[in-house]
Amino acid sequence: MMYGYDEQPKISGLEGRSADYAEGETFFIDDFLTNYQVDEQKIYVEKVNEESTAVKSDKEFQNVLEKVKKSLDGDFERLSDGEKSRETEIQKKAIIGEHKYVKLYVEKINSALASLNLLSAEYPAYYRNLGDAVFSELYGFAGITPWVNDYTEEYRASSSLKVIGDDIYCLIDGKAVKQPQSISRERREQLRRNLLLSYPKERLEAGHNEVYMLREDGKHIRATLMSGDFTYPEQDVLVFRKYLISEPENLTFERLAAYGTFPMECCELFELLAALGPNVFFCGEVRSGKSTFLQVWQHYEDPTLEGTTVSSDEETNYAEITKGPLIQIVTDENRLEQAEKSLKRLDSNYIILSEVRSAAEYRFFLGITNMGTRRCKCTIHDNSALNFPYKMATEITAKYGGEQNATIAQLYSNIDYVFELYEVPTDRSKKRLKGIVELRYDPVEDVCSAHRICEYSAEEDRWRWKCDIGDDKRRLAMGMEDKLSDFLSILSKLEEKSPLIGDNVVYPSYYKGNAKKTECGQNA
């Protein structure tokens, strides 16, 4: 049976919008495009700006869709049963976004348009051409296609799109901008069904699904689908996220610095720290840049080392980033518990945990770092370096038992550095490194402490530094003393230029350790 559409969305012309961008946010466009793609981009933008490309009649385009659909259905019905089965599988792959099959179906559509004498028909200006428009509306991603495949510079620089009811909103220049195109309820239903084709275990009636869709370039976009009793009537929601920095050659500290995430003069500092191989966490709110920072950090990993990633989804293919051997495990909390012993026996030099959020993931991190594993990298949704060790310890002990205080001490001993990140409230397209905290545990004094070595001041738009490195971190650099010396030299220069004023050490009150610290009031 051929996949199709029930009722198409209302189509409107693409109105002109400002192409001004926040400084530092769009400089990378030329790097991403080949000469051919630049020409395509130019042609597309010129087409959008021409009044002659505006759709004269929604009904006219609907007629084109209906005629093409009828022609393709007729071709399908003339196939044998075996041919129908193969054709259905090809169409399914085109629907979920596999580019070579999308291209094949666009060619089929163009042939149908030619046979129907419809090649000169009008189509919505936000599509690249008539074949693209027909495929998108009949089988593809409908009105979100231009954003998914970066048809304009605005869409290329947009990391987030939301469909709320009929309306489409894109994050552009840090603000949610309503788009001229819309998607009808029937077309949204079809889009949700299409997105679930690759996920047989997901059920549309559940009201909440999280899946991944393919772009033309083979990259994944995360899609969160909410409908039915899960949302307000007629206000079902589709949320899409994509990474702006995805190509390995763009995953550099210099690129992040050019975006304003941190100062350019600390790129070498981070490169040296990555080479020294501490266990690092990247924490922050949603869309704060945690995953991108982790990807960049991983890009600098020693290619002679073996790694393992453990995540609950396939959002990031770290094999495309990593130059050395890498095992990628996709599992949920229950299966992680079952496989934990085997994963620990993989003898990996380091692990990567993306968006740790469950007690099983917390325990796995603690267990494998207790074995002495270094160079581990994790992201976690939390706004503070001081908050999440307590949260992790609480959840580990609540589910698996053990003494909370001892678990906190282990975490402070095993986590070396925490990078705090946040999204600028006035321009959500911008991310900032809010601070860097070094965690320490002194087993002799039984003291947990957090030492802030970097702090960002939004009022001054500057970073302040403190050269404060624990003896345990120095011991980790055995055999790499030259890199440690260079690291300390740069950090000292950063402090000299912009010192962090005041006490930079916090003794967390949730750790009930050395009584003398408590008596002195430093543990409060």
Side-chain angles (χ1 to χ4, degrees), residues 39-80:
D39 290 338
E40 284 272 310
Q41 179 88 354
K42 181 179 179 182
I43 292 169
Y44 174 77
V45 172
E46 288 174 351
K47 177 179 73 65
V48 168
N49 290 332
E50 291 176 3
E51 291 185 8
S52 61
T53 62
V55 178
K56 296 177 181 178
S57 168
D58 291 346
K59 186 175 180 180
E60 178 183 340
F61 185 60
Q62 294 300 314
N63 287 336
V64 171
L65 294 174
E66 290 169 5
K67 290 177 180 178
V68 172
K69 179 65 167 54
K70 185 177 179 180
S71 175
L72 294 177
D73 284 348
D75 292 342
F76 180 80
E77 291 303 323
R78 286 187 286 273
L79 298 175
S80 66

